[in-house]
Amino acid sequence: MSRSVASVPLTPTQLRRVLAGLMLGLFLAALDQTVVAVALADIARDLPGSQLLAWVVSAYLLAMTVSTPIFGKLGDLFGRRRLLAIAIGVFVLASLLCGLAQSMPQLVAARALQGIGAGGLLAVIQALIGDLIAPAERGRYQAWFSGMFALASLIGPTLGGLLSSQWSWRWVFWINLPLGALAYILSQRRLAGLQENRRNARIDYLGSVLLIIGLCSLLWLINRLGHSALWLNVQNGLLLLLAVVALKLFIIQQRRSLDPLIPLALLRIDAVRSGWLLLFFASFQAVGLAVLIPLQAYNSGGAGVSASQLMALALGTPLGAFLGGHFSTRLGRYKPMIVCGAVLLPVALLILSMLPSPHGPATLFVLLLCGAAIGLQFPTSLVAVQSAAPHHHLGVVTGVCGLFRGLGGMLGVSLLTSLLWLLLPGISADSMTETGMNLSAVDSHLLRKAFATLLQIDAAIALLPLLIALRLKDRSLSRDLTAAPE
């Protein structure tokens, strides 16, 4: 069996130095989800093929989501230190190609390659936390990594706008070259003492191909559903059929494979299964609310109100993650913090729907609570999965965490956006898409009522992870790194 451990236990100072390089790598992957958005208009003016502009964002997210479980499995087989080097190399090379692109198809292809590297960074780095830190201490450190996502969402648009306006949109990608090189130097130098044993196992190539086909079809379908109210058409039907067939064949292949890509036995572990679902719903809410809340605020109060509400939501998430990580470390348990977040979110959403005005300090405070409720569940659910799974499957269970987060985020945007269209009768979903979902022509009273109803529906959806959290077994976390399950 494979296990990655430090040859000599790391001191707190050495651990902080290791984490500095790892956090920089994770920050790069998270930053490129948001930094490109502001530069899209400049890209469309500069490159031919503007009809593919949406895929500059979608290709990155799709490739990142699909690649996380594959990189997680490869890390289990061949060692995470070398996989981290490969992921950084792919990400930096793809960033160079993005900046050199001369057409939109070239840029989309390079963004897909960049997403593969980002998926590797997410899967390998978060699994390395399980290698280096005892289960009871992981929540505290995973919270820092959750903070990297919030930081990237806050500074990404500003940084992208600054780089594209002062120099060129190409620098949005080229800035990754020195940062990626620094992440490589820091992480590889600090991880030099990590002993890794390769497993004698065969890569499940057929399973990998089937998983890629199935997930790409499913994610493409979800993306299409979020941009049109006309769900019943031939292309959507074909995508659904391809996804179902490919994923069904993938499951069959996993049952017959000697070393499956995602061992189905992991689904029989309660904390693993529940943790994946909790991460799915947490990302569903985080991404869905991050899109819809600023949309409502912009159409009723302008860009300033929209930015302040998005910032309140974004700041609440790392706050909740830090609290969840701190108290899970002190208590030596993850369930209490997961339940707290799962209880707080539907209550906060319901209060938000009943506020008389979508503006003001009360709205900002409740949005802060929503973000904190989501943040309480991110690091603790990941700790629940990692602490319950056998250590030789640490990489793959962590990679699947990233997969469920990606699926949840894309479905959250698609479902909540489609519900909003249904709640605004007489509004053409297609015309809304063409104008970037500009709702300024909608009656303010009708718009406020539609968003209130949408938030109440979302509060009901948030009860599902509460049921999962309540049924989750309360497991004591070990403070001994070597005591992880095998």
Side-chain angles (χ1 to χ4, degrees), residues 25-34 55-72 87 90-91 108-124 126 149 152 211-212 215-216 219 283 287 398-407 409-410:
L26 197 67
F27 177 74
L28 285 174
L31 182 66
D32 270 68
Q33 298 181 48
T34 59
W55 280 99
V56 174
V57 176
S58 298
Y60 180 86
L61 295 176
L62 190 151
M64 181 176 66
T65 302
V66 172
S67 63
T68 49
I70 296 175
F71 265 94
V90 170
F91 185 85
V108 170
R111 281 286 283 173
L113 182 62
Q114 192 184 38
I116 293 172
L121 289 172
L122 294 178
V124 176
Q126 290 187 322
F149 285 92
L211 181 65
I212 291 171
L215 289 179
C216 286
L219 291 169
S283 188
V287 180
T398 304
V400 176
C401 285
L403 170 60
F404 272 84
R405 285 184 63 160
L407 285 171
M410 294 189 70

Side-chain angles (χ1 to χ4, degrees), residues 283-306:
S283 188
F284 178 102
Q285 298 290 351
V287 180
L289 292 175
V291 171
L292 291 175
I293 293 298
L295 175 64
Q296 178 195 22
Y298 183 85
N299 284 276
S300 58
V305 174
S306 175

Side-chain angles (χ1 to χ4, degrees), residues 43-382:
I43 293 173
R45 285 193 296 267
D46 196 29
L47 296 183
S50 59
Q51 69 275 11
L52 297 175
L53 185 64
W55 280 99
V56 174
V57 176
S58 298
Y60 180 86
L61 295 176
L62 190 151
M64 181 176 66
T65 302
V66 172
S67 63
T68 49
I70 296 175
F71 265 94
K73 179 66 175 183
L74 292 176
D76 287 337
L77 293 178
F78 304 115
R80 278 178 267 282
R81 182 169 174 259
R82 58 172 61 90
L83 260 294
L84 178 60
I86 292 173
I88 294 175
V90 170
F91 185 85
V92 170
L93 173 61
S95 298
L96 175 63
L97 295 176
C98 285
L100 294 174
Q102 299 300 310
S103 68
M104 201 66 73
Q106 290 179 12
L107 180 58
V108 170
R111 281 286 283 173
L113 182 62
Q114 192 184 38
I116 293 172
L121 289 172
L122 294 178
V124 176
I125 289 174
Q126 290 187 322
L128 276 167
I129 296 300
D131 289 329
L132 299 172
I133 299 171
E137 302 291 330
R138 286 176 196 164
R140 177 187 302 167
Y141 292 96
Q142 292 289 8
W144 284 98
F145 286 81
S146 296
M148 290 297 100
F149 285 92
L151 181 63
S153 67
L154 288 175
I155 73 171
T158 302
L159 179 61
L162 179 64
L163 291 172
S164 59
S165 62
Q166 294 299 316
W167 292 297
S168 163
W169 62 264
R170 298 181 187 276
W171 279 99
V172 171
F173 302 106
W174 285 342
I175 191 65
N176 291 327
L177 273 61
L179 294 177
L182 179 60
Y184 176 84
I185 293 171
L186 290 175
S187 61
Q188 293 301 303
R189 180 182 299 174
R190 304 305 180 187
L191 292 173
L194 195 69
Q195 294 179 338
E196 297 182 317
N197 300 315
R198 294 185 55 169
R199 287 170 53 187
N200 294 322
R202 297 176 60 185
I203 299 176
D204 185 5
Y205 292 106
L206 177 58
S208 299
V209 171
L210 291 171
L211 181 65
I212 291 171
I213 294 174
L215 289 179
C216 286
S217 302
L218 180 60
L219 291 169
W220 190 0
L221 174 62
I222 293 173
N223 185 60
R224 284 176 55 83
L225 297 181
H227 288 83
S228 174
L230 303 175
W231 285 16
L232 300 178
N233 57 56
V234 174
Q235 189 168 358
N236 287 351
L238 291 175
L239 284 173
L240 178 60
L241 178 62
L242 182 59
V244 171
V245 171
L247 292 176
K248 177 61 177 178
L249 291 175
F250 170 75
I251 293 173
I252 294 173
Q253 171 64 14
Q254 298 311 283
R255 288 173 176 166
R256 61 189 293 269
S257 176
L258 296 177
D259 194 354
L261 183 66
I262 302 177
L264 299 182
L266 294 172
L267 291 170
R268 293 195 288 269
I269 303 175
D270 173 72
V272 171
R273 182 179 62 249
S274 298
W276 286 342
L277 291 175
L278 288 167
L279 287 168
F280 172 88
F281 282 108
S283 188
F284 178 102
Q285 298 290 351
V287 180
L289 292 175
V291 171
L292 291 175
I293 293 298
L295 175 64
Q296 178 195 22
Y298 183 85
N299 284 276
S300 58
V305 174
S306 175
S308 64
Q309 293 193 3
L310 180 60
M311 184 171 293
L313 190 65
L315 289 175
T317 303
L319 175 62
F322 291 138
L323 289 173
H326 174 75
F327 284 106
S328 67
T329 297
R330 291 195 61 181
L331 297 173
R333 297 182 181 277
Y334 49 75
K335 181 174 179 176
M337 307 315 300
I338 294 176
V339 172
C340 285
V343 170
L344 179 59
L345 184 58
V347 173
L349 289 171
L350 195 59
I351 294 173
L352 191 62
S353 72
M354 296 187 293
L355 291 177
S357 171
H359 311 143
T363 301
L364 295 178
F365 177 72
V366 177
L367 285 172
L368 187 72
L369 290 180
C370 288
I374 295 169
L376 282 168
Q377 300 175 65
F378 273 132
T380 44
S381 298
L382 181 56

